[in-house]
Amino acid sequence: MNIRSILFGTAICAMTAAPAMAETRVTYKSAKSTSSYYQMAVQIAEAMEGASDGEINVTVEESQGSVQNVMEVRARGGDYVFTTPPVLVKLAQGGKAMFEGKGNPAFDDIRALFPIPSLTMHFVMSEDSGAETFDDLKGKTILLGKGSFGAREGEKYLGLFGIEDEVEVADVELSNAVPALKNGQIDGFVTAGSWPAPNVVEAAASTGVRVLSLSDEQITETKRTKLVIPAGTYAGQGEDIVTTSLPVVAYTTTKMDDDTAYSLTKTYWEQKGKMAEAAKWWGGVDEGLMGNITGKIHPGAVRYYEEAGMSLTDAQK
């Protein structure tokens, strides 16, 4: 055997013996690209990749809303992470409401990873509309969007407050809300992004808007949680906005391996403080939001929570 063969064989052995750095690829499906939840997804992706030195590779995927995210569980694999309110997971598993007749065993395999900032309802009206209360929406043209939880929630509120038949609903995508408001196509729009919501920030800065507040009676009717958006959050907002919120959680399924679920959950909590430096909405995320998870948590995530000393309920384990 000549020296060249010996060196070549040695190199092959060394390459074989060297441990390969396994890259974990994840698809994170959130919301429409104009929403706060899409921006959160991008922040999470960047935090995951940065903290893991590229070992965790997250691809952010735009979605038409939370209902679609849950429905796609039926065809997705172990790399799928998505966000949705826990109530939608419960409805899917029970085959109720928008999931009636669409039940699937895959819904029972959904498992939580970590809580994220809550959905916050925004009823955004142009200053030119003159609308200050929900009664003022009568005769106005409102954009609700299509397919998203916010669209369904907005439609529900109009019904609860007895004005659904007196409001013209615009057939426009939510992504076009701000341009449509600027050119007078609509008088207002409804969005359910966590505050401060990017499309509301843009509308307030460029057009001038009023975000409507709900009365205590109206909040009771919605059966949602009361939330106050502090004065000064949006341009021209001189007083607090009283509205409603709904918990949102990041989920995967039992198809995801335990180590990946552990790494994602651990990195999320360890990077949350850094993300809060760039965006206000992360400041409200703490251990107290773990109560928002009403179903089972992925075993890999459970391992992290137990290591971190976070209390879990029997229903979550």
Side-chain angles (χ1 to χ4, degrees), residues 84-95:
T84 193
V87 65
L88 289 191
V89 173
K90 186 175 181 180
L91 289 174
Q93 292 173 340

mmCIF file with all atom_site columns, all heavy atoms in Angstrom, residues 84-95:
data_model
loop_
_atom_site.group_PDB
_atom_site.id
_atom_site.type_symbol
_atom_site.label_atom_id
_atom_site.label_alt_id
_atom_site.label_comp_id
_atom_site.label_asym_id
_atom_site.label_entity_id
_atom_site.label_seq_id
_atom_site.pdbx_PDB_ins_code
_atom_site.Cartn_x
_atom_site.Cartn_y
_atom_site.Cartn_z
_atom_site.occupancy
_atom_site.B_iso_or_equiv
_atom_site.pdbx_formal_charge
_atom_site.auth_seq_id
_atom_site.auth_comp_id
_atom_site.auth_asym_id
_atom_site.auth_atom_id
_atom_site.pdbx_PDB_model_num
ATOM 1  N N   . THR A 1 84 ? -52.259 28.926 17.872 1.00 0.00 ? 84 THR A N   1
ATOM 2  C CA  . THR A 1 84 ? -53.714 29.013 17.843 1.00 0.00 ? 84 THR A CA  1
ATOM 3  C C   . THR A 1 84 ? -54.223 29.185 19.278 1.00 0.00 ? 84 THR A C   1
ATOM 4  O O   . THR A 1 84 ? -53.525 28.812 20.224 1.00 0.00 ? 84 THR A O   1
ATOM 5  C CB  . THR A 1 84 ? -54.325 27.736 17.226 1.00 0.00 ? 84 THR A CB  1
ATOM 6  O OG1 . THR A 1 84 ? -55.709 27.958 16.920 1.00 0.00 ? 84 THR A OG1 1
ATOM 7  C CG2 . THR A 1 84 ? -54.218 26.548 18.157 1.00 0.00 ? 84 THR A CG2 1
ATOM 8  N N   . PRO A 1 85 ? -55.421 29.734 19.464 1.00 0.00 ? 85 PRO A N   1
ATOM 9  C CA  . PRO A 1 85 ? -56.009 29.770 20.801 1.00 0.00 ? 85 PRO A CA  1
ATOM 10 C C   . PRO A 1 85 ? -56.343 28.352 21.265 1.00 0.00 ? 85 PRO A C   1
ATOM 11 O O   . PRO A 1 85 ? -56.822 27.537 20.458 1.00 0.00 ? 85 PRO A O   1
ATOM 12 C CB  . PRO A 1 85 ? -57.288 30.589 20.598 1.00 0.00 ? 85 PRO A CB  1
ATOM 13 C CG  . PRO A 1 85 ? -57.042 31.410 19.380 1.00 0.00 ? 85 PRO A CG  1
ATOM 14 C CD  . PRO A 1 85 ? -56.221 30.510 18.494 1.00 0.00 ? 85 PRO A CD  1
ATOM 15 N N   . PRO A 1 86 ? -56.120 28.023 22.525 1.00 0.00 ? 86 PRO A N   1
ATOM 16 C CA  . PRO A 1 86 ? -56.435 26.681 23.034 1.00 0.00 ? 86 PRO A CA  1
ATOM 17 C C   . PRO A 1 86 ? -57.886 26.270 22.791 1.00 0.00 ? 86 PRO A C   1
ATOM 18 O O   . PRO A 1 86 ? -58.171 25.084 22.597 1.00 0.00 ? 86 PRO A O   1
ATOM 19 C CB  . PRO A 1 86 ? -56.134 26.802 24.534 1.00 0.00 ? 86 PRO A CB  1
ATOM 20 C CG  . PRO A 1 86 ? -55.072 27.852 24.616 1.00 0.00 ? 86 PRO A CG  1
ATOM 21 C CD  . PRO A 1 86 ? -55.433 28.844 23.546 1.00 0.00 ? 86 PRO A CD  1
ATOM 22 N N   . VAL A 1 87 ? -58.793 27.247 22.766 1.00 0.00 ? 87 VAL A N   1
ATOM 23 C CA  . VAL A 1 87 ? -60.204 26.919 22.563 1.00 0.00 ? 87 VAL A CA  1
ATOM 24 C C   . VAL A 1 87 ? -60.424 26.264 21.202 1.00 0.00 ? 87 VAL A C   1
ATOM 25 O O   . VAL A 1 87 ? -61.294 25.391 21.049 1.00 0.00 ? 87 VAL A O   1
ATOM 26 C CB  . VAL A 1 87 ? -61.087 28.177 22.710 1.00 0.00 ? 87 VAL A CB  1
ATOM 27 C CG1 . VAL A 1 87 ? -60.796 29.197 21.620 1.00 0.00 ? 87 VAL A CG1 1
ATOM 28 C CG2 . VAL A 1 87 ? -62.576 27.806 22.705 1.00 0.00 ? 87 VAL A CG2 1
ATOM 29 N N   . LEU A 1 88 ? -59.627 26.630 20.185 1.00 0.00 ? 88 LEU A N   1
ATOM 30 C CA  . LEU A 1 88 ? -59.790 26.036 18.862 1.00 0.00 ? 88 LEU A CA  1
ATOM 31 C C   . LEU A 1 88 ? -59.316 24.583 18.847 1.00 0.00 ? 88 LEU A C   1
ATOM 32 O O   . LEU A 1 88 ? -59.872 23.751 18.124 1.00 0.00 ? 88 LEU A O   1
ATOM 33 C CB  . LEU A 1 88 ? -59.046 26.845 17.807 1.00 0.00 ? 88 LEU A CB  1
ATOM 34 C CG  . LEU A 1 88 ? -59.626 28.218 17.453 1.00 0.00 ? 88 LEU A CG  1
ATOM 35 C CD1 . LEU A 1 88 ? -58.941 28.774 16.212 1.00 0.00 ? 88 LEU A CD1 1
ATOM 36 C CD2 . LEU A 1 88 ? -61.124 28.163 17.238 1.00 0.00 ? 88 LEU A CD2 1
ATOM 37 N N   . VAL A 1 89 ? -58.285 24.284 19.626 1.00 0.00 ? 89 VAL A N   1
ATOM 38 C CA  . VAL A 1 89 ? -57.830 22.899 19.738 1.00 0.00 ? 89 VAL A CA  1
ATOM 39 C C   . VAL A 1 89 ? -58.925 22.049 20.369 1.00 0.00 ? 89 VAL A C   1
ATOM 40 O O   . VAL A 1 89 ? -59.228 20.936 19.911 1.00 0.00 ? 89 VAL A O   1
ATOM 41 C CB  . VAL A 1 89 ? -56.533 22.809 20.568 1.00 0.00 ? 89 VAL A CB  1
ATOM 42 C CG1 . VAL A 1 89 ? -56.151 21.348 20.820 1.00 0.00 ? 89 VAL A CG1 1
ATOM 43 C CG2 . VAL A 1 89 ? -55.393 23.536 19.858 1.00 0.00 ? 89 VAL A CG2 1
ATOM 44 N N   . LYS A 1 90 ? -59.551 22.587 21.389 1.00 0.00 ? 90 LYS A N   1
ATOM 45 C CA  . LYS A 1 90 ? -60.635 21.867 22.066 1.00 0.00 ? 90 LYS A CA  1
ATOM 46 C C   . LYS A 1 90 ? -61.810 21.630 21.114 1.00 0.00 ? 90 LYS A C   1
ATOM 47 O O   . LYS A 1 90 ? -62.399 20.548 21.075 1.00 0.00 ? 90 LYS A O   1
ATOM 48 C CB  . LYS A 1 90 ? -61.103 22.661 23.289 1.00 0.00 ? 90 LYS A CB  1
ATOM 49 C CG  . LYS A 1 90 ? -62.132 21.937 24.139 1.00 0.00 ? 90 LYS A CG  1
ATOM 50 C CD  . LYS A 1 90 ? -62.466 22.723 25.386 1.00 0.00 ? 90 LYS A CD  1
ATOM 51 C CE  . LYS A 1 90 ? -63.482 21.985 26.250 1.00 0.00 ? 90 LYS A CE  1
ATOM 52 N NZ  . LYS A 1 90 ? -63.808 22.761 27.485 1.00 0.00 ? 90 LYS A NZ  1
ATOM 53 N N   . LEU A 1 91 ? -62.151 22.652 20.309 1.00 0.00 ? 91 LEU A N   1
ATOM 54 C CA  . LEU A 1 91 ? -63.247 22.512 19.345 1.00 0.00 ? 91 LEU A CA  1
ATOM 55 C C   . LEU A 1 91 ? -62.904 21.473 18.283 1.00 0.00 ? 91 LEU A C   1
ATOM 56 O O   . LEU A 1 91 ? -63.757 20.675 17.871 1.00 0.00 ? 91 LEU A O   1
ATOM 57 C CB  . LEU A 1 91 ? -63.542 23.855 18.686 1.00 0.00 ? 91 LEU A CB  1
ATOM 58 C CG  . LEU A 1 91 ? -64.198 24.927 19.568 1.00 0.00 ? 91 LEU A CG  1
ATOM 59 C CD1 . LEU A 1 91 ? -64.283 26.253 18.818 1.00 0.00 ? 91 LEU A CD1 1
ATOM 60 C CD2 . LEU A 1 91 ? -65.590 24.490 20.018 1.00 0.00 ? 91 LEU A CD2 1
ATOM 61 N N   . ALA A 1 92 ? -61.643 21.474 17.825 1.00 0.00 ? 92 ALA A N   1
ATOM 62 C CA  . ALA A 1 92 ? -61.220 20.512 16.805 1.00 0.00 ? 92 ALA A CA  1
ATOM 63 C C   . ALA A 1 92 ? -61.305 19.092 17.347 1.00 0.00 ? 92 ALA A C   1
ATOM 64 O O   . ALA A 1 92 ? -61.788 18.172 16.667 1.00 0.00 ? 92 ALA A O   1
ATOM 65 C CB  . ALA A 1 92 ? -59.795 20.821 16.353 1.00 0.00 ? 92 ALA A CB  1
ATOM 66 N N   . GLN A 1 93 ? -60.846 18.917 18.574 1.00 0.00 ? 93 GLN A N   1
ATOM 67 C CA  . GLN A 1 93 ? -60.861 17.580 19.171 1.00 0.00 ? 93 GLN A CA  1
ATOM 68 C C   . GLN A 1 93 ? -62.274 17.094 19.450 1.00 0.00 ? 93 GLN A C   1
ATOM 69 O O   . GLN A 1 93 ? -62.529 15.889 19.476 1.00 0.00 ? 93 GLN A O   1
ATOM 70 C CB  . GLN A 1 93 ? -60.021 17.580 20.450 1.00 0.00 ? 93 GLN A CB  1
ATOM 71 C CG  . GLN A 1 93 ? -58.528 17.773 20.166 1.00 0.00 ? 93 GLN A CG  1
ATOM 72 C CD  . GLN A 1 93 ? -57.682 17.957 21.409 1.00 0.00 ? 93 GLN A CD  1
ATOM 73 O OE1 . GLN A 1 93 ? -58.191 18.313 22.480 1.00 0.00 ? 93 GLN A OE1 1
ATOM 74 N NE2 . GLN A 1 93 ? -56.385 17.740 21.278 1.00 0.00 ? 93 GLN A NE2 1
ATOM 75 N N   . GLY A 1 94 ? -63.205 18.046 19.623 1.00 0.00 ? 94 GLY A N   1
ATOM 76 C CA  . GLY A 1 94 ? -64.596 17.679 19.847 1.00 0.00 ? 94 GLY A CA  1
ATOM 77 C C   . GLY A 1 94 ? -65.434 17.688 18.584 1.00 0.00 ? 94 GLY A C   1
ATOM 78 O O   . GLY A 1 94 ? -66.631 17.348 18.620 1.00 0.00 ? 94 GLY A O   1
ATOM 79 N N   . GLY A 1 95 ? -64.837 18.099 17.450 1.00 0.00 ? 95 GLY A N   1
ATOM 80 C CA  . GLY A 1 95 ? -65.576 18.160 16.192 1.00 0.00 ? 95 GLY A CA  1
ATOM 81 C C   . GLY A 1 95 ? -66.722 19.157 16.240 1.00 0.00 ? 95 GLY A C   1
ATOM 82 O O   . GLY A 1 95 ? -67.786 18.923 15.651 1.00 0.00 ? 95 GLY A O   1
#
